[in-house]
């Protein structure tokens, strides 16, 4: 597979996710906000930043591999109102 042209922020997020998901199946919104440095922003702004970054990563992954959703949103098993994040494959 050719190298996917992720930018620095995307690469940092993917590297962090890869490390975190070695020990657990998914990461929380709170953990994601902390690594992105957006935990002090409004909830709408946090959601927008997360969504745009994940969409960019997933679109680049789709273009390079033909596979969808490298980063997948999953319902939190303890509270269905919350979303957690995981990787659908290794990179």
């Amino acid at each position: 597979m050719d190298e996917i042209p992720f930018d620095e922020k995307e690469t940092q997020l993917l590297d962090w996710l890869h490390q975190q998901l070695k020990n657990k199946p998914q990461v929380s919104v709170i953990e994601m906000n902390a690594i992105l440095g957006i935990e002090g922003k409004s909830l709408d702004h946090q959601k927008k930043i997360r969504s745009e970054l994940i969409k960019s990563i997933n679109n680049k992954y789709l273009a390079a591999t033909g596979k969808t959703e490298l980063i997948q949103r999953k319902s939190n098993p303890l509270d269905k109102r919350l979303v957690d994040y995981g990787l659908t494959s290794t990179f």
Side-chain angles (χ1 to χ4, degrees):
M1 172 174 75
D2 293 331
E3 188 164 324
I4 302 171
F6 294 123
D7 68 24
E8 184 177 341
K9 191 155 194 95
E10 293 166 344
T11 300
Q12 288 174 347
L13 177 61
L14 289 169
D15 288 346
W16 176 81
L17 278 170
H18 186 67
Q19 289 300 315
Q20 293 296 309
L21 297 173
K22 286 181 179 179
N23 302 318
K24 54 187 173 181
Q26 50 204 30
V27 297
S28 70
V29 168
I30 294 169
E31 293 170 301
M32 182 80 79
N33 287 347
I35 192 64
L36 296 175
I38 59 174
E39 61 268 53
K41 300 189 182 300
S42 73
L43 294 178
D44 286 341
H45 196 63
Q46 290 174 7
K47 184 177 179 179
K48 181 180 178 196
I49 291 170
R50 281 193 319 271
S51 178
E52 287 176 357
L53 186 60
I54 291 167
K55 183 177 180 179
S56 177
I57 289 170
N58 284 341
N59 285 341
K60 289 176 183 179
Y61 183 71
L62 174 63
T65 67
K67 299 176 185 174
T68 60
E69 289 195 330
L70 177 58
I71 298 178
Q72 185 178 47
R73 295 162 182 87
K74 302 175 184 182
S75 293
N76 181 295
L78 301 177
D79 187 342
K80 299 296 181 192
R81 297 171 296 174
L82 300 176
V83 174
D84 292 334
Y85 298 91
L87 294 173
T88 55
S89 65
T90 58
F91 59 99

